[in-house]
Every structure is written in C-alpha cells, then in structure tokens.
Amino acid sequence: MNLIERLQESMRHAARERYTSVPVPPFTAYFHPFDAMVYLNYVIPDGPVTGDTREALRKLRTEFEARQRVPRFEYVDALAPELAGMLSAAGYRQEAEARLMACTRDTYVPFKGPERLTLTVLSPDSPREEVRDFCVTTRQGFSPGETVTVGDEEVSKTLEDLKDGRAFLARMDGRPVSGGQFSSPHQGTTELAGVATLQEWRGRGIGAALVSRAAEEAFSRGVEVLFLSTITEEAGRLYERVGFRFVTRMLFYVDAAAPAHG
C-alpha cells in the first residue's frame, strides 16, 4: 500500500469509527448518527471506480434522501480518476478541491505561537464544558457570524470520538479561539481535521501552534504519518511551517441541487 492509498484507507477507517456505514458497492456512505450537516455525511469509493455506476449512484441518492441528508462525495482523486466525470453526469457539482498534506517525525518543525496562548489536549476524561467550548469554537471558526448552540448529544459524541483520538483547544488570555482534532490512528496513520480559528484571531500563528501541538501529541502516541486537507493556499503555507508537505489532491462533489455552503 503506497502513501496515497494509506491516507485514503485511514479516512475510511475514521469514518467507520465515527459514523454509520452503508455499503453500496463500489461505494460506502457514511452517516452521522444525528447531525444532518452536509460535511458530516458523505461517500468514499471503496477503491478504483470503473464501469457503469448509474445504479449504485441512484441507490446512494435513495439512502441520503431517506435520512434527509444531502448527497456528497469526498475522495482522493488519484485513486478514482474517472469518478469526477461520472458524478458530473449524475447531477453533482464540484464543491471544492483540496490539497492533501502529510507530516512525519522527520519533517515536523515545532512552532511555539504567540505569548499568552495556552493549548489544552482534550481526551475522554476532559470536563464536558471544555469539550463544549471546543465544539462551539470550531463551529464558529467555520461559520463566522453565525450563532452556534452545542447540545449535550454533540458533547457526548465528541467525547466518544476521543477514545483513541485527541482534540485540541487553543485559548488566548483564557478565551477559546481555535480548535482541531485528530481521529483514531489506523496502521500508524491519522488525520488532523476540523482545524478552525475564530475570524478575529487569524493571522497570528495560533492555528500553526495548535497544529504543531497536535503533531507532537500524535507522534508521541506512535503515529508515523499525520495528514490533513486544506482548500486555501494560505492555510497550506501555515501547515508547511509545521512540516506538512503536499502529497496529492482531494475532490469534494455535492448534489448540484443543494445550496452552496460557505
């Protein structure tokens, strides 16, 4: 298994651990148990995709519609190069293209961050209110200006997800300003996802410091490859400061009838 295949398999493993898996060969759909947010419900190909997939794509739509979720795909383009054309023909539009980047112990560069910054590692034993702060902060980081309410069910689900993974909460002068989380490691590989900093605190090295702390924690727990995906070049440069290097690209496709999301 080469590095690109290893990263995609790690994504499948993380999705199986966190979500409900519904096989529809040559795909598997992953559904969040209670949250219909478009980014938490998606499809990953099981491997290379060839031949006639129209019936499988029809069945996938049925599965999403039955759960009142928006059909969406996210996958490594190099491992299914024909899929983009199939999805376009089936009524999907490209939502985004991301750079997949990886960091190892050999490339890792520690990054301290600004003064007055504190970083907390969240585990299954962390106080529920700390975990709630993490959930609120990351959601606000991705949706500036929106009022965010995090219920007990989401806090409990996040704590459950931390059984083998870890989350990170950055504070400036005690105020939560940034967060991120790596999933349960699989064969020495894990993904750092959901890294978000509140809009008014961006550009100060807070995100880089959080990613650096996450990498340090992952490597201390036996991880060999920590990876992430980023859509913006600005974020990519931030991650490069910590030792992440470009590997390949990911594609995100969503039902063309769905409203655009920020």
Side-chain angles (χ1 to χ4, degrees), residues 37 55-56 62 67 79 83 100 108 143 158 161 175 180 191 199 201 206 216 218 225 227 232 244:
M37 179 185 284
E55 181 60 17
T62 300
R67 294 167 176 80
L79 299 180
L83 181 55
L100 201 59
Y108 170 58
S143 304
T158 302
D161 292 341
R175 177 189 172 185
E191 180 178 15
Q199 192 171 47
W201 291 95
I206 294 171
E216 179 184 293
V225 180
F227 70 97
T232 68
F244 283 80

Side-chain angles (χ1 to χ4, degrees), residues 21-43:
S21 302
V22 178
V24 183
F27 309 104
T28 299
Y30 300 96
F31 296 104
H32 193 283
F34 60 85
D35 197 332
M37 179 185 284
V38 66
Y39 306 117
L40 302 181
N41 301 271
Y42 52 88
V43 179

Side-chain angles (χ1 to χ4, degrees), residues 74-75 80 92 109 111 141 164 183 185 190 198 235 252-253 257:
E74 52 181 68
Y75 65 98
Y92 288 80
V109 180
F111 187 91
D164 296 310
S183 55
T190 189
L198 299 183
F252 303 83
Y253 271 80

Side-chain angles (χ1 to χ4, degrees), residues 5 41 97 103-104 114 133 170 174 177 184 188-189 212-213 215 256-257:
E5 292 169 332
N41 301 271
E97 176 183 321
C103 179
T104 66
D133 285 343
V177 296
S184 169
T189 306
S212 175
R213 181 66 184 89

Side-chain angles (χ1 to χ4, degrees), residues 69-140:
R69 310 290 167 94
V70 177
R72 184 172 175 273
F73 283 72
E74 52 181 68
Y75 65 98
V76 176
D77 181 42
L79 299 180
E82 297 181 25
L83 181 55
M86 297 174 183
L87 293 176
S88 295
Y92 288 80
R93 59 177 166 80
Q94 184 174 317
E95 179 186 48
E97 176 183 321
R99 302 173 68 204
L100 201 59
M101 306 177 72
C103 179
T104 66
R105 289 186 180 87
D106 291 337
T107 65
Y108 170 58
V109 180
F111 187 91
K112 185 177 180 181
E115 293 184 7
R116 309 193 319 278
L117 176 71
T118 58
L119 292 160
T120 302
V121 181
L122 303 180
S123 73
D125 300 322
S126 295
R128 291 181 66 87
E129 287 311 305
E130 276 199 339
V131 175
R132 195 183 308 274
D133 285 343
F134 163 79
C135 294
V136 169
T137 302
T138 52
R139 285 200 176 231
Q140 287 180 332

